[in-house]
């Protein structure tokens, strides 16, 4: 696939992911919405199905939607290093576009919201208990689970001599990834909001800081912003190293 095609598909898929993912949080947070105060499970289910939607759209490029996934696939030898920058470009651009589209969909609610200084959480994550080391550990663990599942899950295989095929998790399609994101959210999402994706956090944070005309909004909390970038990249890299180690044993 050409570099341009990778960028376009990743933009489309990541934009859909962020539009719907940020959208479910906006529906929960902003007043005068049908989903106002929907709760944490409401958000985690929305994000899970946002992953399914975005990944399905970006299927032609492999549906990375996440620099940590791209890095893990490159380290494990499943993606050419030459294509990594194009995936990163598409993922970041798509995340910014998706955040802008989310704001546009909820423009009237943003204008009406009585606490505009508390709207950053619609777009980006933050820890419940700020602690650099442990917030980083949480993001590493969550992303490790995601990328390890992608790399280590059994794939479909032809029928064995007894005529029984092995379907593996590939039979689930992108719904399988959505299930994993759902359980990461419900099980590990409490401490930091489970960014588990550098583009998912940094792209909307950039959009919030520089593009979205939300009156009286707060700053973008740049002091924390590197943790949901570095943590997922480390987690994705560690998952790839484990994958290589396991396969070297066989």
């Amino acid at each position: 696939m050409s570099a341009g095609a990778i960028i376009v598909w990743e933009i489309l898929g990541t934009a859909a992911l962020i539009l719907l993912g940020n959208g479910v949080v906006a529906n929960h947070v902003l007043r005068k919405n049908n989903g106002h105060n929907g709760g944490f499970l409401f958000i985690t289910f929305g994000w899970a199905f946002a992953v399914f939607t975005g990944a399905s759209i970006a299927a032609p490029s492999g549906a990375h939607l996440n620099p940590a996934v791209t890095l893990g696939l490159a380290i494990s030898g499943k993606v050419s290093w030459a294509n990594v920058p194009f995936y990163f470009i598409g993922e970041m651009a798509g995340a910014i576009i998706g955040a802008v589209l989310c704001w546009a969909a909820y423009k009237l609610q943003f204008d009406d919201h009585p606490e505009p200084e508390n709207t950053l959480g619609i777009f980006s994550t933050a820890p419940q208990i700020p602690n650099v080391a442990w917030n980083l550990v949480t993001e590493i663990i969550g992303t490790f689970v995601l990328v390890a599942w992608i790399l280590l899950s059994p794939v479909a295989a032809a029928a064995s001599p007894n005529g029984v095929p092995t379907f593996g998790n590939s039979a689930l399609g992108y719904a399988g990834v959505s299930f994993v994101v759902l359980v990461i959210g419900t099980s590990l999402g409490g401490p930091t909001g489970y960014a588990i994706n550098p583009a998912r956090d940094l792209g909307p944070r950039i959009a919030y800081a520089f593009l979205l005309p939300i009156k009286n909004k707060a700053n973008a909390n740049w002091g924390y912003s590197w943790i949901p970038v570095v943590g997922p990249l480390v987690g994705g890299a560690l998952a790839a190293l484990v994958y290589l180690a396991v396969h070297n044993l066989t």
Side-chain angles (χ1 to χ4, degrees):
M1 177 172 285
S2 69
I6 290 171
I7 292 172
V8 168
W9 285 115
E10 290 293 313
I11 286 175
L12 292 173
T14 310
L17 165 68
I18 301 304
L19 166 62
L20 299 176
N22 287 173
V24 72
V25 185
N27 199 7
H28 161 74
V29 170
L30 302 174
R31 67 180 187 176
K32 295 185 180 177
N33 277 318
N34 290 327
H36 183 52
N37 286 331
F40 188 68
L41 284 178
F42 176 75
I43 292 171
T44 53
F45 271 89
W47 266 108
F49 287 105
V51 170
F52 174 78
T53 305
S56 299
I57 290 171
S61 63
H64 295 191
L65 314 183
N66 182 341
V69 171
T70 299
L71 180 62
L73 292 173
I75 292 173
S76 61
K78 296 181 178 294
V79 168
S80 169
W81 282 101
N83 286 332
V84 168
F86 306 120
Y87 278 100
F88 284 2
I89 291 169
E91 290 153 359
M92 282 299 300
I96 292 170
I97 292 168
V100 173
L101 291 174
C102 173
W103 167 82
Y106 283 92
K107 197 269 183 188
L108 296 179
Q109 281 72 22
F110 276 107
D111 290 348
D112 179 75
H113 192 58
E115 299 177 340
E117 69 278 6
N118 294 328
T119 52
L120 175 61
I122 292 171
F123 299 95
S124 293
T125 62
Q128 292 298 305
I129 302 176
N131 182 295
V132 169
W134 289 109
N135 299 157
L136 197 62
V137 166
T138 299
E139 286 295 326
I140 290 171
I141 292 172
T143 313
F144 178 91
V145 171
L146 172 64
V147 179
W149 184 89
I150 292 170
L151 292 173
L152 296 172
S153 289
V155 297
S160 60
N162 64 8
V164 179
T166 299
F167 292 104
N169 285 329
S170 59
L172 294 171
Y174 293 118
V177 182
S178 301
F179 295 154
V180 176
V181 171
L182 176 60
V183 76
I184 291 171
T186 55
S187 301
L188 301 173
T192 61
Y194 73 115
I196 62 173
N197 180 341
R200 169 264 176 276
D201 193 273
L202 183 58
R205 198 181 296 269
I206 290 171
Y208 184 84
F210 301 111
L211 299 177
L212 303 185
I214 300 171
K215 293 181 180 179
N216 300 317
K217 63 185 177 183
N219 65 63
N221 193 14
W222 293 113
Y224 178 77
S225 65
W226 66 274
I227 291 177
V229 173
V230 174
L233 290 175
V234 172
L238 289 175
L241 293 176
V242 169
Y243 167 84
L244 292 174
V246 170
H247 278 259
N248 285 336
L249 295 175
T250 59

